[in-house]
């Protein structure tokens, strides 16, 4: 034996077999015999380790499922379960929903004249009014003593009886070129007419609903900018405006309203009025670009993202703290998710007609997180994914990186690309192989097709009732679906 190096010692290894050690296999030994030689205590330890491993994995999955279920329980805008095909609950002869008040769904539009109230559970007719047959209808809040948003969003909200009135404006034209509207205010629960009044309007321009009222803005026969507003709850005119004469440009007269202001632009001249008071906002007749607010998106941390259009072309986004302190300013429009389960906090999605695709920025700093060439103005945020739908496909992007997780070719009908979800399944309308329209359900996390069924109406679009049931609207009908 050679001498050990400095700092080393020779060690003699002696192999022993204890109770917990499986003996080495002898040549030709049967595997069943080897298993019989394993001590019982070793099997017990192994069983405990396996049980703990399985239990740990199961507990993690259970906690994740519970966390996701809790998150979805607090998410607004989710439908009833979409795990199975939906069945028809009721059908009514209108193709648009104004809103739901109490247990009455207010429907309007299509080939049928007037507005209709139906029972939201069974679809039975509660009342019918001819108002709105040549115009439009909307719900307006009551009982407010200060200016603010009087209307609800596009999706039907849960409105209690007494919280809103139904207003319908029917356009009226005379032989002299003067236009105006006949306004009817209706109790949305009973259908009874509360008041009616006629409002005059300019020969060229538009009429739109504004806070607690309806207003008109345009040019009279002498080319002057004229405007006025009527109160829905009294039928009285609250202000009248007569402004400068303007020359009509090649694009004619353009009017717009965001509920707070009304703007008329003709040629290089524009006039913006405060819709509540009728006062001029800015400089009368100014050629400076008009700033018109398009949307206010409330953020999860209490901030707000205000999207505006500058002039007629440039979109601008200002993100502010709850106290109005500006965080950052950038170009583009803040996308309002159809559903947001809170799985992508501090992520703000933007779009712009001048920039293809979707961009994500940090809602606190405005720093760009990612950019995707997937284009859509309708998105949903679910399970850490941003789901985007356009006319040809549906795509899921990783909300943190923007990387495409999955995409499917799902050509949409001409009427729209709305996506509904229960938080786990996505429901869309797609063009069927026979040229018709199908309801198609896909698993949100994988894009896998879950079920497909013919749509109850042709060329329809999707909406959701406050109780989570699905509406398919189109072809002069509204159809309610449920599991």
């Amino acid at each position: 034996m050679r001498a050990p190096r400095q700092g080393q010692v020779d060690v003699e290894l002696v192999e022993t077999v204890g109770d917990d050690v499986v003996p080495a296999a002898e040549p030709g030994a049967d595997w069943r015999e080897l298993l019989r030689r394993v001590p019982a205590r070793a099997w017990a330890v192994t069983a405990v380790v396996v049980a703990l491993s399985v239990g740990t994995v199961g507990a993690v999955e259970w906690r994740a499922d519970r966390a996701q279920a809790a998150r979805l329980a607090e998410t607004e805008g989710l439908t009833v379960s979409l795990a199975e095909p939906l069945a028809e609950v009721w059908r009514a002869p209108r193709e648009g929903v104004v809103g739901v008040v109490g247990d009455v769904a207010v429907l309007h539009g299509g080939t049928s004249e007037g507005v209709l109230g139906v029972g939201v559970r069974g679809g039975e007719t509660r009342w019918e009014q001819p108002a709105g047959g040549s115009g439009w209808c909307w719900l307006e809040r009551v009982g407010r003593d200060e200016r603010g948003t009087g209307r609800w969003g596009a999706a039907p909200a849960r409105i209690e009886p007494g919280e809103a009135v139904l207003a319908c404006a029917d356009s009226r034209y005379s032989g002299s070129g003067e236009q105006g509207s006949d306004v009817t205010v209706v109790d949305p629960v009973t259908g009874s007419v509360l008041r009616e009044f006629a409002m005059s309007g300019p020969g060229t321009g538009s009429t739109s609903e504004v806070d607690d009222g309806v207003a008109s803005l345009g040019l009279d026969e002498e080319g002057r900018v004229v405007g006025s507003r009527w109160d829905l709850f009294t039928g009285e005119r609250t202000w009248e405006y007569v402004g400068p004469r303007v020359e009509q440009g090649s694009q004619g007269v353009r009017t717009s309203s965001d509920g707070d202001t009304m703007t008329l632009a003709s040629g290089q001249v524009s006039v913006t009025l405060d819709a509540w008071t009728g006062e001029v906002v800015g400089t009368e007749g100014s050629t400076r670009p008009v700033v018109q607010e398009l949307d206010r998106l409330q953020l999860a941390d209490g901030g707000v993202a205000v999207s505006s259009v500058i002039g007629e072309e440039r979109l601008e986004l200002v993100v502010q703290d709850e106290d109005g302190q500006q965080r950052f300013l950038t170009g583009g429009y803040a996308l309002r998710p159809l559903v947001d389960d809170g799985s992508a906090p501090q992520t703000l999605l933007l779009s712009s007609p001048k920039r293809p695709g979707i961009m994500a920025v940090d809602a606190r700093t405005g720093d760009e997180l990612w950019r995707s060439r997937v284009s859509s103005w309708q998105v949903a945020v679910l399970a850490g994914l941003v789901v985007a739908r356009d006319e040809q496909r549906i795509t899921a992007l990783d909300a943190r990186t923007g990387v495409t997780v999955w995409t499917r070719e799902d050509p949409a009908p001409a009427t729209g690309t709305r996506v509904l979800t229960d938080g786990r399944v996505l429901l869309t309308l797609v063009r069927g192989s026979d040229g018709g329209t199908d309801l198609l359900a896909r698993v949100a996390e994988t894009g896998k097709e879950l079920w497909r069924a013919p749509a109850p109406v042709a060329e329809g679009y999707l909406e959701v009732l406050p109780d989570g049931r699905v509406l398919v609207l189109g072809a002069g009908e509204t159809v309610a679906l449920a599991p």
Side-chain angles (χ1 to χ4, degrees):
M1 178 180 298
R2 62 180 177 82
R5 296 180 182 178
Q6 186 177 1
Q8 295 180 336
V9 295
D10 286 328
V11 178
E12 181 179 3
L13 299 178
V14 179
E15 183 177 0
T16 61
V17 177
D19 292 340
D20 296 337
V21 180
V22 180
E26 299 178 1
D30 191 302
W31 64 271
R32 288 181 292 270
E33 179 62 27
L34 293 178
L35 291 179
R36 281 194 293 271
R37 295 181 186 179
V38 176
R41 189 170 60 183
W43 283 120
V45 171
T46 302
V48 170
V49 171
V50 171
L52 287 175
S53 300
V54 173
T56 301
V57 173
V60 171
E61 292 179 348
W62 178 79
R63 284 195 294 269
D65 288 343
R66 287 288 298 272
Q68 183 181 15
R71 186 173 67 247
L72 294 180
E74 298 177 355
T75 303
E76 295 183 358
L78 298 182
T79 70
V80 294
S81 174
L82 300 174
E84 302 290 340
L86 304 177
E88 181 175 325
V89 178
W90 54 260
R91 182 181 296 251
R94 297 293 188 278
E95 64 178 52
V97 56
V98 182
V100 178
V101 182
D103 64 347
V104 176
V106 180
L107 308 179
H108 180 253
T111 57
S112 300
E113 291 290 324
V115 64
L116 180 70
V118 302
V120 71
R121 297 302 303 173
E124 71 281 0
T125 297
R126 298 285 184 85
W127 54 263
E128 187 170 6
Q129 285 287 351
S134 61
W136 73 101
C137 298
W138 70 98
L139 289 168
E140 190 81 22
R141 295 183 190 272
V142 301
R144 294 182 300 114
D145 56 4
E146 59 183 12
R147 78 184 292 172
T149 301
R151 292 171 301 283
W152 286 263
R158 189 180 302 276
I159 306 170
E160 296 300 324
E163 287 187 350
V165 295
L166 173 68
C168 294
D170 289 280
S171 301
R172 182 184 70 251
Y173 298 90
S174 66
S176 63
E178 181 184 7
Q179 72 178 46
S181 295
D182 294 320
V183 180
T184 306
V185 182
V186 177
D187 183 322
V189 175
T190 65
S192 59
V193 175
L194 302 177
R195 69 192 57 85
E196 296 177 288
F197 58 91
M199 54 176 289
S200 59
T204 302
S206 66
T207 301
S208 60
E209 64 266 23
V210 295
D211 250 349
D212 282 358
V214 59
S216 64
L217 182 65
L219 301 181
D220 64 11
E221 294 179 351
E222 299 180 14
R224 297 177 301 181
V225 180
V226 294
S228 53
R229 174 184 179 274
W230 279 258
D231 190 300
L232 283 179
F233 300 101
T234 65
E236 298 177 352
R237 179 156 31 196
T238 58
W239 57 257
E240 186 173 11
Y241 170 83
V242 179
R245 289 183 174 85
V246 300
E247 296 293 333
Q248 293 192 37
S250 59
Q251 296 182 342
V253 177
R254 302 177 302 281
T255 58
S256 60
S257 173
D258 62 5
D260 291 323
T261 62
M262 300 182 68
T263 299
L264 179 145
S266 181
Q268 298 298 315
V269 177
S270 64
V271 174
T272 299
L273 303 179
D274 184 301
W276 185 270
T277 65
E279 297 177 354
V280 175
V281 178
T283 303
E284 185 177 38
S286 172
T287 59
R288 292 181 303 176
V290 175
V291 179
Q292 181 180 347
E293 184 177 310
L294 300 177
D295 188 32
R296 281 181 174 260
L297 175 61
Q298 195 70 36
L299 303 180
D301 61 5
V304 62
V306 183
S307 300
S308 303
V309 60
I310 311 300
E312 297 179 359
E313 298 180 352
R314 183 163 61 92
L315 288 173
E316 182 178 87
L317 175 67
V318 178
V319 179
Q320 304 169 341
D321 288 327
E322 192 172 5
D323 60 3
Q325 182 71 27
Q326 180 174 310
R327 296 180 185 175
F328 62 88
L329 181 150
T330 187
Y333 181 90
L335 295 176
R336 180 182 292 272
L338 299 170
V339 169
D340 187 349
D341 67 353
S343 59
Q346 301 304 328
T347 299
L348 183 61
L349 302 171
L350 311 181
S351 186
S352 171
K354 294 186 176 181
R355 182 179 59 227
I358 298 173
M359 183 173 73
V361 301
D362 187 298
R364 295 293 308 177
T365 65
D367 294 337
E368 181 175 327
L369 301 177
W370 51 263
R371 192 185 294 252
S372 171
R373 295 193 64 84
V374 173
S375 246
S376 178
W377 288 80
Q378 293 195 27
V379 295
V381 179
L382 294 168
L385 300 175
V386 175
V387 180
R389 175 86 161 104
D390 61 20
E391 289 79 8
Q392 296 299 324
R393 62 189 59 81
I394 185 169
T395 304
L397 309 171
D398 188 296
R400 296 170 301 174
T401 64
V403 173
T404 298
V405 178
W406 57 262
T407 185
R408 301 289 184 270
E409 297 293 326
D410 285 340
T415 47
T417 58
R418 178 72 187 269
V419 178
L420 298 185
T421 181
D422 61 0
R424 305 178 193 277
V425 179
L426 305 169
L427 182 66
T428 59
L429 285 171
V430 299
R431 292 200 299 269
S433 57
D434 59 354
T437 305
D438 289 344
L439 284 165
L440 176 61
R442 291 191 180 277
V443 178
E445 291 186 345
T446 65
K448 177 183 178 182
E449 182 174 323
L450 192 60
W451 55 265
R452 179 189 292 255
V457 297
E459 295 296 328
Y461 64 96
L462 296 177
E463 193 54 88
V464 58
L465 286 168
D467 62 6
R469 289 181 299 167
V470 174
L471 292 180
V472 185
L473 308 102
E477 294 183 301
T478 293
V479 181
L481 304 176

